Amino acid sequence: MSDILQDIRFGSRTLLKNPGFALVALATIGIGIGANAAIFSFVDGILLRPSPYREVDRIVRVLEKPPGGGRNGISTLNYLDWEKQNTVFQYMMAQSWGSVSLTGIENPVQVPSERVSARFFDVFKAPAALGRTFAEGEDQAGRDHVAVISHSFWVSQFGADPGILGRSITLDGEPYAVVGVMAPGTFDLTTTKIWRTLAFPPEAMTRDFHWFGAWALLKPGVSLEQARTQMDALAIRIAHDYPKSNKGWGIGIDSFKSVLVAPELKLSLYVLMGAVGMVLLIACANLANLTLARGITREREVAIRAALGAGRMRLVRQFLTESLLLSVGGGVIGLFLAYAGLVSMKMTMPENILPPNVRVEMDGRILLFILALSLLTGLIFGIVPAVKATRHDLANAIKQGGPGSSGGHASKRLRGTLVVAEVALAFMLLAGAGLLIRSFFQLQKVDTGFDSTNVVTAYLPISERRFHSAEEFKLYVRRINDAVAAVPGVRSAALTSALPMQGWGYGMPFQVVGAKAVDVANRPDCFFKMVSSQYFKTLGIHFTRGRPLDEHDVKGAPPAAVINETMAKKFFPNENPVGKRILVEEIAFGKTRLGPEIPWEVVGVVADEKVGSPGSSNDYSPGIYVTVDQSPQTGQAIVVRGETNSTLLQRSIRNAIREVNKDQIVQDMKTLDQIKVESVAPDRFRSILMGIFAGVALTLAAIGLYGVISYSVVQRTREIGVRTALGAGPADILGLVLRGGMLMTAIGLALGVAGAFGLAQVLAS
C-alpha cells in the first residue's frame, strides 16, 4: 500500500508538471466516457434494468395470430373461450386502450384511459396506495361504473384530496365512482391516467370483430412453451368449430420482456452504443499515442531507474498508475458530461419514443459503469505504453531517447498503427452518420399524396354511448363540420375516421365481387376510412379515375366507395375498377361487432395517401374511402384548410366547435406539417446523435494525427537540420512531413471504407 501511495503521489506530480498533456488527456477520456455513459443510461433503463413488476417472467401478452403471421386484436367470444378452457394461466385479463372525456369540471379534458378486466392489477401484482383495485365481478354489466386513477393524475387533477375515494366523476357523460388510487412510481410512467372495468355487452359477443388485447399470468411451474402448446391446440379446436371467422387463425403468446421494447428501438440503441464505443476506442488510441510519445521522452529516466535496481513490474505499475489517475479523473469529467448529455437528450427526444414503465436516470448503476469504464480505459490505453517504456534494452533506450533523435522504429510503427485505426473508425462513424442524415432528408421528400399547406387537424373524442342512433350522431358531426367550414379564413373542412400519417384507423377484410372467393377469415385487408365528401378537396388529393364522394352518397343511396391507386393496381390489374363492387362487412354503429356484407361500388380512384409515417416499411397501403353518412362511427377527426396557418384560426375553430357543444373536447390540434415533422422525429433524433458522435470522433482522430506528426517533427529536428544544411528547401521539408501523415490517413481511409460497407448493411435494416 505504501508503494501504491508513493506511485500515486509521484504520478500526480508528473502530470501537474505537464498540464498541457494532462488537460488534453482528461478531456479526451471525459468525452469518450461521458458519451458512453449517457447512451448506456438508456440501454440500462430500457433493456437491462429489472422490471418494476413482481414475477415478471410469468407475465405474458396474449393476442390473436392471423393466417399471414403477426399479431392482431382479440374477438370477444374467442377471448371468453380462452379464459374458460385454458389450464396454464392463473389469471387472464382483457385490456382496451383509448381515452375518456372528463366533464362536469370547469375545463373538460380528454384523459388517456384503459378499460380492463377486474384481474388486471392482479396480473401485475400491483395494489392500490389509497383505497382498492377492482373487485371480483366489477367487470360485469351493471357493476362496471367504477374507476381507479393513477397517483400523478390524483395529484394534478384532484390536488391529492384523500376524499377522492367514493367520489363520483363524469366520464363520457356517465358517473363513475373512484375506488382507488395507485401507488406513485410504476403506473405513473404509463400514459394511462384512469382505469375502468371492461364489461362485454351482449352486442359484443362475436368472433369476427377484433378490438382488444389481453395479458395473462402463467401458473407457477408452467413455462412459456407449455402455454403456447396448449393454446395452439385450443386455437385449432376453435378454428374447427368456427371456420368462418377463425380458419387459419392462432393464438400468439409473447413474454412481457419481449414486447416491452420495440425491435426498432433495440436496434437504435445497439447502433448508438456501437457508435459511442467507437468514440471511446478512438479516445483510447489517442491517449495511447500521447502516452507512447511521453514514454519515449522518459526512456532515459526509466533506464536510470532500472539501472538503480527497479524491477520491470515496478516500472510498469508506475506507468499504469499514471494512466489510471488520468482515466479516473477523466471519468469524473465524463460523469458531468454524461449527466448533461442525458438531460439534453431527454429534453430533445421525441415524445413516445421510449416504452412505458421505463425510467432513464443517473443512479448508482451508472456510477458503477463509469467507474468500471474508467478503470478499463486506463488499462487499455496504458498497458502497451507502459510495457514499451519499460523494456530492458537500457543502452538502446539511452541512444534512442536523446533529444532530437528520431525515436525507435517500433514506436513509430505502433503510433502510426494507432492513428490508422483512429482514422478508420472515424471514417466509419462519418459514413454511418452521413447515411442516416441522407435517409432523414429523403424521408422529408417522400410524396405523401396530399398538400399539407395551411391544413389544421384535430381529434373529436365522442363517446360511443352518447347517441341513441346513427342518425342523431350524423346530425351532430354535420353541425360541427358546417360550423367550422363557416369560420372566416377557412377554405374547406372535412371529417375523417383517421388522420393522414396516423395509421389505418379501421382495417377490414374484403372480397372483390367476381374474383375468386376467399373465406372471410383469410381475406386480404385494407384500410377503411369514413370521410365526409370534402375530404379529398380539403387535402388536395387528386383523382385519377371516376369521381369523388359527394353529398348524394347518403344512407339509402347505393353504397359508394373510392379506392386508392395501390388497391387499384394490386386487385384490379389491367382493368378499370370504376363500377366494380367490393364486399366489406358492415361495422355496426357504436358496437363492437360486424354486420352483413355491403357491396360497395367503386366510383373513383384517388392518388395514394400516406397513411403511415414516411419511414414505414411499406410505401403505401391499399385502402377504401366511404362517406361517414353511409358508414357512421363515433371515432372522428377534422381536417381544415385555411387561407393561412395562424394561431388565431385555430382558436376560431375551437370556438366554433364549442358553440355547437361546450363540452365537446378538441384534442391534439396540430397542423399537417407538424404531424409530418413528428412522424420523422425519431429518425431526426438518431441522425443528430450519430452526427454529434461522428464529429467528436473526427475531432479526436484529427488531434491524434496532429499529435503524432507534431511529435515526429520534434523527434526529427536534428535530421531536418541536417537535410536543410545539405540544401533541402521548405517545400522539401513540408513534403517530408506530409508524406507520413498522408500515408497514415490513406491507409486509415482504405480500412474505413471497407468497414463502412459493413456498417451500411447494419444501418440499412
Side-chain angles (χ1 to χ4, degrees):
M1 182 60 67
S2 175
D3 288 344
I4 291 174
L5 291 175
Q6 185 180 17
D7 288 344
I8 292 174
R9 286 194 297 269
F10 180 79
S12 300
R13 289 197 304 271
T14 302
L15 293 175
L16 288 174
K17 290 178 180 178
N18 296 271
F21 166 80
L23 289 175
V24 171
L26 289 172
T28 302
I29 299 172
I31 291 171
I33 291 178
N36 275 268
I39 297 299
F40 179 77
S41 62
F42 285 90
V43 174
D44 179 60
I46 297 171
L47 301 179
L48 304 180
R49 190 178 296 274
S51 171
Y53 303 117
R54 290 185 293 165
E55 300 184 70
V56 69
D57 291 336
R58 292 172 55 199
I59 301 175
V60 294
R61 185 188 67 180
V62 188
L63 291 173
E64 303 239 31
K65 185 165 60 177
R71 299 291 184 263
N72 201 7
I74 308 171
S75 64
T76 307
L77 290 179
N78 284 350
Y79 170 79
L80 293 176
D81 283 349
W82 301 352
E83 188 180 40
K84 181 180 179 181
Q85 298 177 32
N86 89 83
T87 60
V88 292
F89 299 137
Q90 183 175 352
Y91 302 121
M92 190 174 182
M93 66 86 189
Q95 179 185 41
S96 175
W97 300 267
S99 59
V100 63
S101 299
L102 174 61
T103 56
I105 58 178
E106 183 178 353
N107 295 308
V109 292
Q110 195 72 10
V111 184
S113 173
E114 292 178 24
R115 302 199 75 144
V116 297
S117 302
R119 291 290 192 180
F120 174 79
F121 294 105
D122 294 325
V123 168
F124 293 99
K125 296 186 178 296
L130 189 65
R132 61 175 177 85
T133 56
F134 300 125
E136 186 75 26
E138 285 186 330
D139 51 5
Q140 302 300 314
R143 299 180 58 191
D144 59 335
H145 277 51
V146 291
V148 172
I149 62 176
S150 70
H151 185 274
S152 62
F153 187 66
W154 174 52
V155 173
S156 63
Q157 186 65 44
F158 301 103
D161 180 9
I164 189 66
L165 295 181
R167 182 188 300 181
S168 177
I169 58 176
T170 304
L171 304 176
D172 283 345
E174 299 183 9
Y176 283 77
V178 177
V179 298
V181 177
M182 295 307 296
T186 301
F187 282 91
D188 286 332
L189 298 177
T190 66
T191 56
T192 303
K193 304 303 178 188
I194 299 177
W195 292 266
R196 296 176 292 166
T197 52
L198 176 61
F200 297 126
E203 61 268 20
M205 299 300 175
T206 66
R207 293 188 187 275
D208 55 9
F209 195 90
H210 308 271
W211 60 285
F212 63 90
W215 295 92
L217 186 68
L218 295 171
K219 288 183 176 179
V222 175
S223 69
L224 184 62
E225 288 306 316
Q226 288 175 320
R228 285 173 174 164
T229 300
Q230 186 188 98
M231 298 304 284
D232 284 343
L234 178 56
I236 293 172
R237 290 202 302 270
I238 295 175
H240 178 270
D241 295 339
Y242 307 98
K244 180 183 177 182
S245 59
N246 286 76
K247 183 179 178 181
W249 286 66
I251 302 173
I253 303 178
D254 304 287
S255 66
F256 179 83
K257 291 180 179 179
S258 69
V259 300
L260 179 63
V261 183
E264 295 83 1
L265 179 58
K266 282 184 181 179
L267 184 59
S268 293
L269 288 173
Y270 294 147
V271 169
L272 292 174
M273 201 67 203
V276 293
M278 288 184 182
V279 171
L280 186 61
L281 286 176
I282 293 172
C284 288
N286 224 339
L287 290 165
N289 249 327
L290 289 171
T291 309
L292 278 170
R294 285 189 73 236
I296 292 174
T297 63
R298 297 175 65 183
E299 282 184 344
R300 181 169 296 172
E301 169 200 337
V302 172
I304 294 173
R305 284 172 174 266
L308 293 175
R312 192 177 190 193
M313 289 306 299
R314 181 70 178 81
L315 295 171
V316 168
R317 193 178 71 194
Q318 174 61 55
F319 275 80
L320 281 180
T321 300
E322 294 179 19
S323 298
L324 290 173
L325 280 174
L326 284 173
S327 64
V328 172
V332 174
I333 295 174
L335 173 63
F336 290 101
L337 292 177
Y339 180 78
L342 178 61
V343 171
S344 300
M345 283 190 285
K346 291 172 74 172
M347 290 175 61
T348 56
M349 71 170 44
E351 293 184 7
N352 303 321
I353 195 173
L354 297 182
N357 300 319
V358 163
R359 181 181 285 116
V360 177
E361 58 187 5
M362 298 289 291
D363 58 9
R365 296 164 62 91
I366 307 302
L367 293 178
L368 286 175
F369 174 80
I370 291 175
L371 177 60
L373 197 59
S374 299
L375 296 176
L376 181 62
T377 301
L379 291 174
I380 289 175
F381 81 78
I383 189 68
V384 173
V387 172
K388 289 286 294 179
T390 57
R391 64 189 185 277
H392 288 298
D393 190 354
L394 305 183
N396 191 48
I398 294 174
K399 288 179 184 177
Q400 293 192 9
S405 71
S406 62
H409 294 294
S411 295
K412 287 182 180 179
R413 285 196 298 269
L414 180 57
R415 297 200 306 274
T417 300
L418 291 173
V419 169
V420 167
E422 290 184 58
V423 172
L425 290 172
F427 183 85
M428 288 174 61
L429 273 183
L430 284 168
L435 286 171
L436 289 181
I437 292 170
R438 187 182 68 175
S439 297
F440 169 69
F441 283 113
Q442 288 177 335
L443 286 179
Q444 292 185 308
K445 297 177 182 177
V446 168
D447 181 14
T448 57
F450 52 79
D451 178 11
S452 60
T453 307
N454 297 334
V455 177
V456 177
T457 70
Y459 286 100
L460 303 174
I462 300 172
S463 170
E464 295 178 350
R465 303 181 183 181
R466 177 174 175 179
F467 299 100
H468 297 95
S469 68
E471 295 303 317
E472 185 180 347
F473 162 75
K474 289 189 289 186
L475 177 61
Y476 174 72
V477 292
R478 194 178 300 122
R479 288 174 57 203
I480 288 180
N481 192 78
D482 292 344
V484 172
V487 170
V490 170
R491 292 168 57 184
S492 62
L495 299 168
T496 176
S497 57
L499 290 172
M501 297 185 292
Q502 297 287 288
W504 278 22
Y506 289 91
M508 296 298 295
F510 65 91
Q511 170 73 54
V512 177
V513 175
K516 181 181 178 181
V518 180
D519 55 86
V520 176
N522 291 274
R523 288 178 178 177
D525 57 358
C526 66
F527 71 78
F528 191 81
K529 275 195 180 187
M530 302 84 163
V531 300
S532 60
S533 59
Q534 295 293 303
Y535 181 76
F536 305 107
K537 176 185 175 183
T538 302
L539 289 182
I541 304 178
H542 303 293
F543 274 77
T544 58
R545 291 180 183 176
R547 67 169 179 86
L549 302 170
D550 58 34
E551 63 275 6
H552 301 295
D553 298 317
V554 296
K555 183 177 175 60
V562 167
I563 65 173
N564 66 359
E565 282 189 313
T566 294
M567 189 162 192
K569 292 175 182 177
K570 187 173 183 178
F571 297 100
F572 299 94
N574 305 318
E575 61 179 325
N576 185 357
V578 175
K580 303 291 185 179
R581 296 181 184 275
I582 302 175
L583 298 176
V584 180
E585 291 176 298
E586 176 192 24
I587 305 174
F589 174 74
K591 298 179 175 63
T592 52
R593 66 176 177 82
L594 299 177
E597 289 184 334
I598 298 177
W600 297 95
E601 180 183 350
V602 179
V603 298
V605 179
V606 73
D608 286 324
E609 166 200 353
K610 203 79 169 77
V611 292
S613 68
S616 55
S617 57
N618 56 329
D619 289 336
Y620 293 97
S621 302
I624 297 175
Y625 301 85
V626 301
T627 63
V628 176
D629 207 285
Q630 291 190 329
S631 182
Q633 285 301 317
T634 54
Q636 291 293 320
I638 192 166
V639 291
V640 184
R641 180 175 295 280
E643 299 291 347
T644 61
N645 176 21
S646 67
T647 306
L648 181 61
L649 178 62
Q650 295 186 25
R651 189 181 304 118
S652 299
I653 293 171
R654 287 183 183 274
N655 292 337
I657 295 173
R658 288 181 66 87
E659 286 179 8
V660 176
N661 177 12
K662 64 180 180 62
D663 288 330
Q664 175 62 57
I665 294 172
V666 181
Q667 185 181 5
D668 292 336
M669 181 171 281
K670 299 175 182 176
T671 66
L672 262 186
D673 286 328
Q674 283 178 283
I675 293 177
K676 187 174 180 179
V677 168
E678 290 174 0
S679 68
V680 297
D683 301 277
R684 181 193 302 107
F685 187 67
R686 282 191 294 266
S687 300
I688 291 173
L689 284 183
M690 280 290 286
I692 292 173
F693 298 147
V696 171
L698 180 63
T699 303
L700 291 178
I703 292 173
L705 185 60
Y706 171 79
V708 168
I709 294 176
S710 61
Y711 187 80
S712 174
V713 170
V714 172
Q715 291 294 99
R716 300 175 72 178
T717 300
R718 184 174 297 168
E719 174 193 345
I720 292 171
V722 172
R723 286 176 179 271
T724 303
L726 294 176
D732 299 316
I733 302 302
L734 187 62
L736 175 70
V737 173
L738 288 182
R739 275 196 298 273
M742 292 303 294
L743 178 62
M744 289 185 287
T745 303
I747 297 173
L749 289 177
L751 295 175
V753 168
F757 278 108
L759 179 62
Q761 298 303 312
V762 176
L763 294 181
S765 62

